[in-house]
Amino acid sequence: MNYQEALAYLEGLNIFGIKLGLTRIQRLLELLDVPQDRYRTIHVTGTNGKGSVSAMLAGILRRSDIHTGMYSSPHLVSYTERIQVDGQPISEQEFADCLSTIRTYVEQMVAEGDECPTQFEVLTALAFFYFAMRHVEYAVIEVGLGGLLDSTNVITPEVSVITNVTFEHADRCGGTLEGIAHHKAGIIKEGVPVVTAAAGIPLDIIRQTAEEKNADVFVSGEDFQMEYLSCDGHMQQLRFTSALLGVADMPYELRLLGRHQVDNAAVAVMTAQLIHNIDGRVTEKTIGEALKIASWPARFERIVLGHQPVIVDGAHNPAGMQALRTSLDLYFPAEQRVLLLGILKDKDIETMLDILLRPNDTVVVTVPDSERAADPQELAKRVAPHVQHVEAIADNGEALDRALELANGEKLLVMAGSLYLVGGVRQLLLERKGVM
């Protein structure tokens, strides 16, 4: 099987959709000789920020000379981005070879009368199998959806991380904020410490679940704090404090921009401190060095094309839009903005637009690379009451050209609304910059 054949096989698994539950993945991993049990793990869930926290934690482990895997989703351009070892994506041929092995066991399951695993379950098994094959020491595993019934929830990690809990994927996670919180808390395991930045009712549910599981809970704002000090447009100056750990005013520099990354960094640092208790290679020095070079594409990412500043952000729900708007107002309060937007039709579009847009903004709407994409003409009609000017251009390349023309090096260009959009348009932008 080559990479193109692997992609075709994965596409064929889409017919099974999203089916929550652990029976299929457990059986598939049994056939693969439980690869996920051959290394230590950190499990990360949350409505927003889980990718950034995972990237920071994987970076900290790598900086500590620990052989590290990371599994994340979704990808921006290629499936290979989801599965990384020591910061390097799996190669296309390795991806195809591993998938070929896994396909054999999928076919065995079906022949035995079991349900066929879903696409995400197969990808998860591939990641676990590849990490074992590469003999990683630790793997940072990001939840795909929810937590309780997510296919990654077959591991017993060293630390469980719940970044935050807001109202998204309610149809698959209980229909209410409480239901979503129960699903996120579903990654909590017996005796395994929990680090979280959740608040309110979700935090109450996390505490209750942790108590039932005899797991210690470390809460941002109570047991540890990260204070934002300043930003020069390239690096954030932060200060971490935890009376619980005996740490006072520990300075950090964070390469990742965005006000929300301060909260994410707090969670990552606290988690790393807990890992330090079981692995002395993780130190204050390696944590600090890792945060200085941490990167996570399309999360308030600043790219400069000639004289044109661009912010690329995968904000795709109200909480993500609020984080984006807060960061824009903090770092670029006076700049006029041109926004290139593409949003999926099943999102809370009106709330997202209310949060993000200002009356003097200029907007170009286009189509994310997804069958769930909102029609650009319809989206433009919904944008129009919020701003002074809006245009709809279906082709992503043409939409990018028009947005760059409207910004003209004088206004800030912001690309957001869906990872399905910003992944492809970011690639176009980097090609024009000459990076790719």
Side-chain angles (χ1 to χ4, degrees):
M1 182 185 289
N2 61 32
Y3 185 63
Q4 292 306 315
E5 290 168 337
L7 294 182
Y9 176 68
L10 284 175
E11 187 62 29
L13 294 174
N14 262 337
I15 63 172
F16 300 102
I18 298 172
K19 296 188 293 187
L20 296 177
L22 300 178
T23 303
R24 294 176 300 274
I25 185 67
Q26 286 171 335
R27 176 57 181 152
L28 182 54
L29 290 170
E30 285 173 6
L31 292 171
L32 290 164
D33 197 23
V34 288
Q36 74 278 12
D37 290 347
R38 299 183 213 167
Y39 40 83
R40 288 174 163 170
T41 57
I42 301 171
H43 206 186
V44 185
T45 191
T47 307
N48 293 97
K50 56 185 180 291
S52 297
V53 169
S54 295
M56 285 187 238
L57 285 170
I60 290 166
L61 292 171
R62 292 198 310 272
R63 198 69 183 179
S64 304
D65 290 328
I66 294 172
H67 192 31
T68 304
M70 185 176 82
Y71 178 49
S72 62
S73 64
H75 58 270
L76 292 176
V77 178
S78 169
Y79 278 103
T80 58
E81 299 167 29
R82 299 186 181 207
I83 302 168
Q84 300 186 20
V85 171
D86 295 334
Q88 296 302 311
I90 184 174
S91 72
E92 291 184 352
Q93 192 55 56
E94 287 173 319
F95 186 95
D97 290 344
C98 290
L99 188 57
S100 183
T101 298
I102 289 163
R103 180 178 183 174
T104 301
Y105 292 112
V106 168
E107 291 172 350
Q108 178 180 332
M109 286 175 62
V110 173
E112 292 173 351
D114 294 326
E115 279 190 308
C116 183
T118 65
Q119 183 189 86
F120 187 71
E121 288 167 343
V122 167
L123 284 167
T124 300
L126 196 162
F128 290 165
F129 178 72
Y130 180 65
F131 294 154
M133 189 177 78
R134 290 290 305 274
H135 302 290
V136 303
E137 298 173 86
Y138 280 78
V140 181
I141 307 297
E142 179 189 340
V143 164
L145 177 66
L148 178 65
L149 301 176
D150 184 77
S151 64
T152 65
N153 200 27
V154 292
I155 58 176
T156 301
E158 305 304 314
V159 184
S160 301
V161 180
I162 305 173
T163 58
N164 54 38
V165 181
T166 62
F167 200 77
E168 190 184 38
H169 299 308
D171 56 331
R172 302 188 189 109
C173 297
T176 63
L177 183 61
E178 290 86 347
I180 294 169
H182 278 294
H183 272 264
K184 305 291 187 194
I187 73 165
I188 298 173
K189 303 295 193 302
E190 184 72 28
V192 174
V194 182
V195 178
T196 186
I201 292 173
L203 177 57
D204 293 339
I205 291 169
I206 290 167
R207 287 191 196 276
Q208 178 185 344
T209 305
E211 184 176 353
E212 293 167 358
K213 299 282 188 179
N214 298 305
D216 293 329
V217 182
F218 302 90
V219 181
S220 182
E222 297 180 14
D223 302 305
F224 60 96
Q225 296 83 27
M226 186 73 83
E227 181 184 357
Y228 167 79
L229 300 177
S230 63
C231 179
D232 61 5
H234 301 279
M235 198 80 72
Q236 299 196 73
Q237 305 297 321
L238 311 177
R239 185 162 56 205
F240 180 82
T241 299
S242 173
L244 192 67
L245 297 175
V247 176
D249 299 335
M250 177 66 66
Y252 287 108
E253 292 182 285
L254 179 65
R255 181 182 173 190
L256 290 170
L257 300 182
R259 179 60 184 84
H260 54 293
Q261 298 292 13
V262 178
D263 300 326
N264 292 333
V267 170
V269 170
M270 186 65 202
T271 303
Q273 293 281 359
L274 295 181
I275 295 297
H276 164 76
N277 291 337
I278 58 174
D279 196 318
R281 288 176 292 177
V282 176
T283 65
E284 290 287 2
K285 182 174 183 287
T286 61
I287 294 171
E289 290 173 347
L291 294 185
K292 277 186 183 180
I293 59 174
S295 65
W296 191 229
R299 278 70 170 186
F300 209 79
E301 180 183 15
R302 185 175 184 266
I303 298 173
V304 179
L305 182 65
H307 297 291
Q308 178 62 60
V310 183
I311 295 296
V312 184
D313 194 281
H316 59 276
N317 56 31
M321 283 296 184
Q322 186 60 66
L324 172 58
R325 176 63 188 272
T326 298
S327 296
L328 287 171
D329 290 349
L330 177 65
Y331 302 131
F332 309 101
E335 281 88 340
Q336 290 184 291
R337 299 171 192 167
V338 174
L339 297 109
L340 178 58
L341 297 180
I343 302 176
L344 302 185
K345 61 188 175 184
D346 56 2
K347 296 294 184 177
D348 187 355
I349 295 175
E350 205 59 46
T351 300
M352 292 166 69
L353 298 178
D354 281 341
I355 292 169
L356 181 63
L357 300 178
R358 304 180 304 178
N360 64 338
D361 286 339
T362 298
V363 178
V364 178
V365 297
T366 189
V367 184
D369 184 18
S370 170
E371 60 187 23
R372 294 158 51 207
D375 175 77
Q377 298 294 339
E378 180 59 33
L379 180 58
K381 290 178 184 177
R382 299 177 74 168
V383 168
H386 296 270
V387 300
Q388 65 178 7
H389 181 77
V390 59
E391 299 179 20
I393 302 174
D395 182 82
N396 286 178
E398 294 177 10
L400 175 60
D401 287 339
R402 181 56 177 155
L404 287 166
E405 181 183 2
L406 290 167
N408 195 31
E410 299 171 353
K411 298 179 180 180
L412 180 68
L413 175 56
V414 180
M415 303 182 342
S418 168
L419 284 171
Y420 293 99
L421 170 71
V422 300
V425 178
R426 175 182 180 273
Q427 188 175 32
L428 291 174
L429 192 67
L430 292 177
E431 287 171 356
R432 293 173 194 194
K433 185 177 170 65
V435 173
M436 303 182 70

